[in-house]
Amino acid sequence: MKPINRREFIFFCGQTSLFGFCCSTWLSACQAIAPVSKIASQAGIINSKKAQAIVRSSQAIAKTFEDITPEQEYYIGRTIGAMILSKHKPCNNASANRYINLLGRTLAIASDRPETFGGYHFLILDSNEINAFAAPGGFIFIARGLFKCCRHEDALAAVLSHEIGHIQGKHGLKAIENSRLTTALAILGTETAKAYGGAELSRLTDIFEESISDIFKTMVNKGYSRSQEQDADSASVAILKKVGYNPEGLVDMLKVMEKKLKPGGVDFVKTHPSPASRIDGVRDQIGKPSEIPMPDNRQNRFTKVLLSI
Amino acid sequence: MKMGSEPLKSVQVKNSYLRATPSFLGKIVAAVNYGDQVLVHSENSDWCKVSLPGKSTDGWIHSSALSNKKIVMKGGGAEVQKTASGEELALAGKGFNKQVEDQYKSRHKSMNFAPIDGMEKIIISPEDIKKFLKEGKLNPKGGLL
């Protein structure tokens, strides 16, 4: 049975004055499409085969963000990364960036989601903000200001693992309004993988921009939810333990951060729960406080980079 | 989708490897690319022991690199129309893709993707990671080595 194509779908929506409704929230649209298709079919607006195709297509796109393939997540992440870099310059220190990639990749392979479409990539930002960002798909940015809240590699490992936790939990993708994905997927239908035509490409790029904006606003202005931050901290502790770092590194970093954060700032003070509440949130998982070992080589390589950025 | 009793899965990442042991630091036995199908022989925690159809080499790959859906590299064919539900098929290049990124770039000419491309060019090998762990006196648990 031939699925309905995009033009037919849009035409149908226009005829039934439902396009705006279809684009509101996916759940309600999905629930509504089946009976409306039936009515439209009975009224002779579309034939029964097309009505069935609409129902089938609507079921296919009902899962919203979960339906974003790793490939699409990768392209979303690249653009979010470019947006972050329009606000913060990259730190052009090749050896420091190589170090952070060595550390980050080592941590990523210990996560629950070690493989993303394009892999994990890390970059230090030339910014004194106490900030870090995880763009979907594995692009992770850490500002110098946050790097300098770390007194040892175990603490820096905690910061990067927290960001990996956001990618593992797909927290960025969850910030996209469902209605955008519904609209995008309805326009695309299930058939197209060939080059898009001008109008389709233009509309799709509109939706892409809106989705990017949703993620960026959440990541940079609003912050993720408290439970997502808790998830990322919990993922961080799990990763640290698996690789052999002392998760007390997270606590140490948060204590330094607490002293440095300034009320009213636009960094972690705005987008994250307080360091003290984050420490409370992971204490049980970490266990009793313990001393952080600092083998010479580990501390030397960390300090060398810290002093070079 | 099944062939015999062993399920087929598809590689959903740009490229990955089959390894001799269920570890990212295990010896690489074969390279796989986006859309390649693999036969799953067994699963151990998050790792799958797989082989490429028609080939005798087998190896381990992490489940996060695999999709249960068949990934179709070029769409619009009869197979795609037959399974329009999307439950069994995923189309490579559908939706937000390079074409959309290029369109976005043409709308926002000041946006600089060069540092993003640069990030992707930093290569870290399994050997680099092993050396990094050893040098830092790190003793990973649970399958990293």
Side-chain angles (χ1 to χ4, degrees):
Chain A
M1 188 179 294
K2 183 180 178 294
I4 190 166
N5 67 31
R6 292 173 301 285
R7 285 189 186 84
E8 287 167 332
F9 181 82
I10 292 165
F11 174 72
F12 157 71
C13 288
Q15 289 225 14
T16 54
S17 303
L18 269 169
F19 188 64
F21 175 69
C22 290
C23 300
S24 58
T25 66
W26 172 243
L27 191 61
S28 58
C30 183
Q31 286 165 340
I33 282 173
V36 170
S37 301
K38 194 177 169 192
I39 292 163
S41 169
Q42 285 166 351
I45 297 169
I46 54 174
N47 65 32
S48 63
K49 279 188 177 179
K50 284 181 181 171
Q52 285 171 33
I54 289 169
V55 172
R56 201 170 49 177
S57 295
S58 70
Q59 285 163 350
I61 59 179
K63 284 187 296 192
T64 61
F65 87 89
E66 288 175 7
D67 265 348
I68 299 174
T69 60
E71 184 187 11
Q72 295 189 75
E73 182 186 10
Y74 164 79
Y75 283 104
I76 291 170
R78 276 176 55 84
T79 300
I80 294 277
M83 283 182 80
I84 288 165
L85 292 171
S86 70
K87 306 243 175 235
H88 303 284
K89 283 184 190 161
C91 168
N92 293 318
N93 179 329
S95 59
N97 280 319
R98 179 161 179 85
Y99 168 77
I100 204 138
N101 275 278
L102 261 171
L103 174 58
R105 304 267 186 99
T106 303
L107 299 164
I109 61 173
S111 73
D112 286 348
R113 195 184 172 210
E115 298 250 34
T116 61
F117 186 77
Y120 286 84
H121 306 280
F122 302 80
L123 187 67
I124 302 168
L125 300 175
D126 182 14
S127 160
N128 290 322
E129 272 186 17
I130 296 176
N131 230 334
F133 307 99
F139 297 91
I140 292 175
F141 304 86
I142 173 171
R144 185 198 301 112
L146 181 52
F147 200 128
K148 297 209 164 180
C149 290
C150 302
R151 300 193 294 184
H152 34 67
E153 191 171 285
D154 294 48
L156 183 61
V159 171
L160 299 186
S161 299
H162 174 96
E163 298 306 320
I164 292 167
H166 282 309
I167 288 164
Q168 180 179 298
K170 298 188 178 177
H171 297 157
L173 298 184
K174 287 176 184 170
I176 302 175
E177 293 280 341
N178 281 355
S179 59
R180 306 204 198 293
L181 302 174
T182 308
T183 314
L185 292 165
I187 288 170
L188 297 173
T190 53
E191 49 181 281
T192 183
K194 50 188 180 284
Y196 297 122
E200 293 156 349
L201 180 60
S202 178
R203 185 72 191 105
L204 196 55
T205 309
D206 291 345
I207 298 163
F208 182 71
E209 288 196 38
E210 289 157 8
S211 303
I212 299 294
S213 168
D214 287 342
I215 298 173
F216 196 74
K217 271 189 242 163
T218 297
M219 190 185 288
V220 177
N221 301 330
K222 204 170 80 178
Y224 292 124
S225 71
R226 185 166 282 268
S227 73
Q228 286 173 330
E229 290 302 338
Q230 171 73 43
D231 283 352
D233 278 340
S234 178
S236 173
V237 172
I239 292 168
L240 293 170
K241 284 183 174 176
K242 202 166 165 187
V243 176
Y245 286 108
N246 188 333
E248 204 64 38
L250 176 60
V251 175
D252 193 84
M253 183 278 296
L254 288 167
K255 283 180 177 168
V256 176
M257 184 196 278
E258 186 155 43
K259 287 182 195 154
K260 289 190 173 188
L261 282 174
K262 295 186 180 103
V266 293
D267 47 16
F268 265 37
V269 79
K270 185 177 168 192
T271 56
H272 282 68
S274 73
S277 70
R278 289 178 62 189
I279 293 170
D280 283 349
V282 291
R283 179 46 73 199
D284 282 353
Q285 191 186 353
I286 292 176
K288 284 182 186 166
S290 60
E291 198 177 324
I292 298 166
M294 286 189 261
D296 285 349
N297 283 348
R298 197 189 305 173
Q299 190 61 15
N300 290 344
R301 69 188 180 190
F302 168 80
T303 309
K304 193 175 158 193
V305 174
L306 183 72
L307 296 174
S308 74
I309 58 169
Chain B
M1 188 170 292
K2 298 193 175 213
M3 183 183 283
S5 60
E6 293 176 326
L8 271 171
K9 293 194 182 194
S10 300
V11 175
Q12 61 173 350
V13 297
K14 215 188 282 182
N15 38 54
S16 188
Y17 299 98
L18 306 189
R19 295 179 164 90
T21 52
S23 161
F24 283 99
L25 306 179
K27 189 182 167 206
I28 291 168
V29 294
V32 288
N33 296 307
Y34 190 35
D36 284 351
Q37 286 193 288
V38 293
L39 277 165
V40 181
H41 303 301
S42 63
E43 293 189 39
N44 171 8
S45 185
D46 288 327
W47 289 84
C48 298
K49 189 163 198 185
V50 304
S51 65
L52 296 165
K55 293 190 179 169
S56 59
T57 312
D58 61 14
W60 294 90
I61 186 166
H62 195 272
S63 60
S64 58
L66 299 177
S67 169
N68 290 330
K69 293 182 182 183
K70 182 178 178 185
I71 296 171
V72 180
M73 300 309 282
K74 284 184 182 154
E79 188 177 28
V80 176
Q81 296 190 356
K82 198 169 70 187
T83 43
S85 74
E87 290 298 318
E88 293 171 28
L89 288 180
L91 302 181
K94 179 183 165 182
F96 303 152
N97 58 15
K98 176 140 194 335
Q99 205 188 356
V100 172
E101 183 182 294
D102 288 345
Q103 177 81 357
Y104 177 87
K105 284 174 179 168
S106 74
R107 289 184 186 181
H108 303 273
K109 292 199 166 58
S110 63
M111 204 65 85
N112 185 8
F113 280 72
I116 303 293
D117 296 335
M119 285 172 84
E120 293 196 58
K121 284 183 186 141
I122 298 175
I123 308 293
I124 304 290
S125 70
E127 289 309 312
D128 292 332
I129 292 177
K130 279 185 204 168
K131 193 175 155 211
F132 183 80
L133 288 167
K134 193 176 172 191
E135 184 188 80
K137 290 195 165 36
L138 291 157
N139 298 303
K141 299 175 191 105
L144 270 193
L145 288 173

